[in-house]
């Protein structure tokens, strides 16, 4: 007999209390070891449409719903008595007539009415235009999204036959409500279709002898447990499907042949990292003798990629021998040591000191220390400008302060002296290291890696991209990037094309969000414009992005003082724990190091342990993760708190005051918005954003007037 667990079971298990979960796990182990054990109390569900549904007593009020046949036993759901029975009475396990995949289908007759949930927001026109827009926008018939879609196509997407009528009637407003009742693959295909995509027709294995659990769609939701150790791992670490699951609609992006560098973009939660992971694995599989580099800009993110990669290739360990995961700085240093010698890399503090000493030698200059630093990092060092004639005519993309020749002359004297200072000390900058490695790679007949896949590409610097260009060049499939301009928080914009990396015609924007609820995504998107363009004119549009599941709106609260904020946040954290969330499923983020103490105080008041994340620190079980917003990149939590969003904290007043030209303020405000966007979009189900009066001006964008009314001010 095959023993399986369904994703509906692990999802429902996660909603129970800790003690209830322990009891359920004990019962699950007993069922696996001996389904006929005398101590197990089975009860046939007479009211269930599917006569193979049974309940198993876990405790006085907890019931486990199983589907039992002579060939298999499937753990389907667990909850308190009445809710568990109601779930089973509204479901049946069947094989889809077109695809042949096993599906847990909600019985249509048990759903009285499909309505749009009250919490779905409706975009309101601006006040000045309301009168003019009212006649055109109200009283208009809603478009039926799938009225013209052939029935055979809907069935091929996995839509159960009894739900075809509801799908036909779906409008933009009711689509989510309908999708909630459908199997995952059907809901995702319809969302893809509604946003202008072309869903792939599901693989069909429908035949009398085919195993419905062998279908790829069925394997997403039903998992065979071969032994107790595997069941234990599955119960301790519930399916986080989005961490390695590749949506079928994205497979063509992974497996496509590209004639040159390619880039995938999309807002937070659309699966860019998953696409990058699968792309790297695909290249390793397709080219048995090739070496593949999977890289990103920080050690923290590289560590997260390694964890996901291990999950993805767990059954193919040999792939790991040819697929390396490194932060781009680490692989650059390794290749530098191979080509030259061990580098002595200058720290930011050492570079600032060299610039400060050199500035004192040019008394006629009046530039601030911040301006000297950013001009050095964004222009002189990034582009490896070594001569006066180069600096005199260099295009200062991203630097909006205009400089005359006299000013450039004074600046060059400072930079030239600072570079000489570093050379005399035997120091090399990270940008110079990458540039020297790039030049050396051009001499190699066989590069150290055949393919490079880059995650979080929006935060690559000039020198890093130059290094990657030399590594992958314009070879077919040589370079593959995944990133989001809306999450750019580290680098000043620059032209990729000028470095030989031209992704025009090989770029695509992902539109379906698999991680974040519709409500959280919509609120976070208010921080950014509907579209963003890079220096080369490639546009990333955010309009039309849609989430695959609904949730509750995020909470935005402004408190009178820090003490009140600490109390309010700790109460919110306690509520999440009562709902069944575990500490490691919660993240708390603040703008920077000075605000960390406020986050730790709130976690402590909630009687929880915290781990402060750093470059080499990962999340821990039974600990709430606390960090700055910059380290939130690549992390995912069921619940997130973004604290200390005060005036002068975000946007950071120090950055605003360091701007010497008002035209540079735009870039400061833009990256500060991106930073808050990154922190908010780490949340899957719950988001709380808090601050102390006077609060950040950005909170006005996150919260609507209705929300402010029902939240009020924290006391």
């Amino acid at each position: 007999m095959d023993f399986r667990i369904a994703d509906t079971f692990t999802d429902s298990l996660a909603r129970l209390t800790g003690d209830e979960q322990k009891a359920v796990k004990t019962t699950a182990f007993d069922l696996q070891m001996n389904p006929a054990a005398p101590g197990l109390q089975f009860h046939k569900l007479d009211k269930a449409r599917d006569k193979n549904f049974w309940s198993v007593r876990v405790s006085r009020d907890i019931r486990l719903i199983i589907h039992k046949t002579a060939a298999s036993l499937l753990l389907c759901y667990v909850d308190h008595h009445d809710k568990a029975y109601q779930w089973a009475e509204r479901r049946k396990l069947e094989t889809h007539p077109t695809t042949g995949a096993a599906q847990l289908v909600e019985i249509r007759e048990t759903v009285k009415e499909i309505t749009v949930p009250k919490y779905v927001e409706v975009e309101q026109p601006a006040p000045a235009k309301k009168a003019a827009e009212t006649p055109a926008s109200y009283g208009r018939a809603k478009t039926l999204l799938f009225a013209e879609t052939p029935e055979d196509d809907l069935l091929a997407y996995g839509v159960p036959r009894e739900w075809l009528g509801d799908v036909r009637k779906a409008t933009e407003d009711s689509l989510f409500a309908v999708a909630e009742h459908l199997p995952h693959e059907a809901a995702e295909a319809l969302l893809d279709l509604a946003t202008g995509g072309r869903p792939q027709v599901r693989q069909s294995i429908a035949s009398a002898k085919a195993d419905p659990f062998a279908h790829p769609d069925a394997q997403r939701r039903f998992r065979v447990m071969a032994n107790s150790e595997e069941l234990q791992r599955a119960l301790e670490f519930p399916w986080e499907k989005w961490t390695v699951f590749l949506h079928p609609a994205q497979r063509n992006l992974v497996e496509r042949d590209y004639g040159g560098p390619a880039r995938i973009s999309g807002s937070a939660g659309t699966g860019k990292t998953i696409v990058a992971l699968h792309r790297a694995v695909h290249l390793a599989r397709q080219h048995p003798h090739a070496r593949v580099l999977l890289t990103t800009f920080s050690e923290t993110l590289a560590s997260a990629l390694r964890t996901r990669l291990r999950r993805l290739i767990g059954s193919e360990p040999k792939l790991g021998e040819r697929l390396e995961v490194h932060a781009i700085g680490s692989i650059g240093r390794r290749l530098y040591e191979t080509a030259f010698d061990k580098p002595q890399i200058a720290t930011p503090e050492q570079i600032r000191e060299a610039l400060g000493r050199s500035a004192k030698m040019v008394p006629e200059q009046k530039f601030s220390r911040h301006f000297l630093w950013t001009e050095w990092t964004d222009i002189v060092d990034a582009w490896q400008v070594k001569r006066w004639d180069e600096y005199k005519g260099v295009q200062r993309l991203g630097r909006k302060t205009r400089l005359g020749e006299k000013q450039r002359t004074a600046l060059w004297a400072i930079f030239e002296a600072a570079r000489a200072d570093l050379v005399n000390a035997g120091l090399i900058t990270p940008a110079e290291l990458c540039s020297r490695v790039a030049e050396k790679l051009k001499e190699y007949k066989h590069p150290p890696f055949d393919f490079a896949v880059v995650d979080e590409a929006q935060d690559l610097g000039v020198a890093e991209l130059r290094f990657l260009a030399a590594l992958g060049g314009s070879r077919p499939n040589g370079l593959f990037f995944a990133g989001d301009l809306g999450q750019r928080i580290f680098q000043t914009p620059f032209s990729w094309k000028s470095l030989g990396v031209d992704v025009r015609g090989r770029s695509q924007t992902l539109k379906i969000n698999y991680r974040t609820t519709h409500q959280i995504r919509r609120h976070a998107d208010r921080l950014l414009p509907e579209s963003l363009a890079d220096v080369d004119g490639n546009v990333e549009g955010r309009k039309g992005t849609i989430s695959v599941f609904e949730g509750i709106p995020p909470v935005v609260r402004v408190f009178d003082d820090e003490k009140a904020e600490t109390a309010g946040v700790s109460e919110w954290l306690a509520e999440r724990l009562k709902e069944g969330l575990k500490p490691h499923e919660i993240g708390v983020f603040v703008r920077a190091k000075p605000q960390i103490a406020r986050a730790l105080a709130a976690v402590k008041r909630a009687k929880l342990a915290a781990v402060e994340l750093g470059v080499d620190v990962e999340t821990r079980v039974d600990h709430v993760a606390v960090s700055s917003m910059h380290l939130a990149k690549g992390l995912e939590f069921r619940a997130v708190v973004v604290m200390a969003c005060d005036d002068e904290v975000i946007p950071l007043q120090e950055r605003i005051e360091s701007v010497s030209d008002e035209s540079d303020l735009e870039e400061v405000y833009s990256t500060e918005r991106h930073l808050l966007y990154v922190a908010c979009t780490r949340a899957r189900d719950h988001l709380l954003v808090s601050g102390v009066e006077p609060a950040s001006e950005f909170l006005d964008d996150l919260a609507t007037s209705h929300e402010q009314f029902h939240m009020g001010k924290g006391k």
Side-chain angles (χ1 to χ4, degrees), residues 7-8 49-50 53 67 74 76 86-97 99 101-111 158-164 180-186 221-222:
D7 58 354
T8 49
R49 184 77 59 87
D50 190 323
F53 272 138
H67 189 276
L74 173 67
C76 298
Q86 290 167 8
W87 184 92
E89 289 165 4
R90 295 197 304 265
R91 303 293 189 290
K92 59 183 175 181
L93 181 68
E94 65 179 19
T95 300
H96 193 278
T99 67
Q103 296 179 326
L104 275 169
V105 177
E106 187 169 1
I107 297 170
R108 178 63 188 85
E109 291 80 355
T110 65
V111 181
V159 176
R161 184 174 292 280
E162 64 190 88
W163 283 92
L164 288 175
E180 287 180 354
H181 298 282
L182 301 177
H184 292 312
E185 68 271 19
R221 49 181 169 259
F222 306 116

Side-chain angles (χ1 to χ4, degrees), residues 341-544:
D341 54 18
K342 188 172 182 178
Q344 296 296 319
I345 300 177
T347 65
E349 290 74 21
Q350 290 173 317
I351 298 172
R352 288 180 186 273
E353 289 173 3
L355 289 170
R357 288 191 296 267
S358 301
K360 293 178 181 178
M361 298 167 57
V362 186
E364 66 272 18
Q365 69 86 23
K366 296 182 180 180
F367 294 102
S368 68
R369 293 175 67 89
H370 177 78
F371 180 86
L372 292 175
W373 168 255
T374 53
E375 185 76 3
W376 167 269
T377 55
D378 294 344
I379 304 298
V380 178
D381 192 39
W383 293 94
Q384 286 296 287
V385 178
K386 298 293 183 68
R387 302 190 310 272
W388 158 245
D389 60 323
E390 293 176 342
Y391 184 64
K392 180 180 179 181
V394 70
Q395 288 188 342
R396 302 170 63 255
L397 290 172
R399 304 286 290 163
K400 297 180 180 179
T401 303
R402 294 190 179 91
L403 296 176
E405 185 170 340
K406 184 177 179 180
Q407 292 171 304
R408 291 201 187 204
T409 301
L411 285 167
W412 183 248
I414 297 171
F415 297 142
E416 192 172 37
R419 177 174 279 121
D421 200 353
L422 295 173
V423 171
N424 291 335
L427 299 173
I428 183 174
T429 67
E432 186 177 2
L433 180 147
C434 283
S435 296
R436 290 190 64 183
V437 171
E439 290 300 317
K440 193 67 176 178
L441 286 173
K442 295 177 182 177
E443 303 174 8
Y444 291 180
K445 186 176 181 181
H446 300 290
F449 295 97
D450 300 279
F451 308 101
V453 177
V454 187
D455 191 30
E456 301 289 356
Q458 75 281 346
D459 278 313
L460 289 173
V462 173
E464 295 162 335
L465 189 64
R466 179 184 283 125
F467 159 67
L468 290 167
L471 190 66
S474 58
R475 297 195 310 273
N477 301 314
L479 292 175
F480 186 91
F481 301 94
D484 174 18
L485 291 178
Q487 297 184 63
R488 180 181 58 80
I489 58 177
F490 291 106
Q491 296 298 333
T492 301
F494 64 92
S495 171
W496 285 27
K497 185 180 173 185
S498 66
L499 294 174
V501 181
D502 189 356
V503 296
R504 291 177 302 174
R506 291 183 294 275
S507 296
Q508 187 159 336
T509 302
L510 304 177
K511 293 291 188 181
I512 300 181
N513 187 305
Y514 301 102
R515 180 182 71 212
T516 305
T517 65
H518 170 71
Q519 285 69 27
I520 293 175
R521 177 189 60 77
R522 286 288 298 274
H523 282 69
D525 278 351
R526 292 172 183 163
L527 293 166
L528 305 177
E530 286 189 351
S531 64
L532 294 165
D534 64 15
V535 174
D536 297 320
N538 297 296
V539 177
E540 296 182 6
R542 317 186 81 73
K543 190 173 183 179

Side-chain angles (χ1 to χ4, degrees), residues 59 75 123 132 147 150 165 167 198 226 241 281 292 356 363 427 454 458 500 544 571 607 609 678 695:
S59 64
L75 305 187
E123 291 290 341
V167 170
R198 292 185 177 181
K241 295 180 286 295
V281 172
V292 180
L427 299 173
V454 187
Q458 75 281 346
E571 290 173 6
K607 299 181 180 180
V678 166

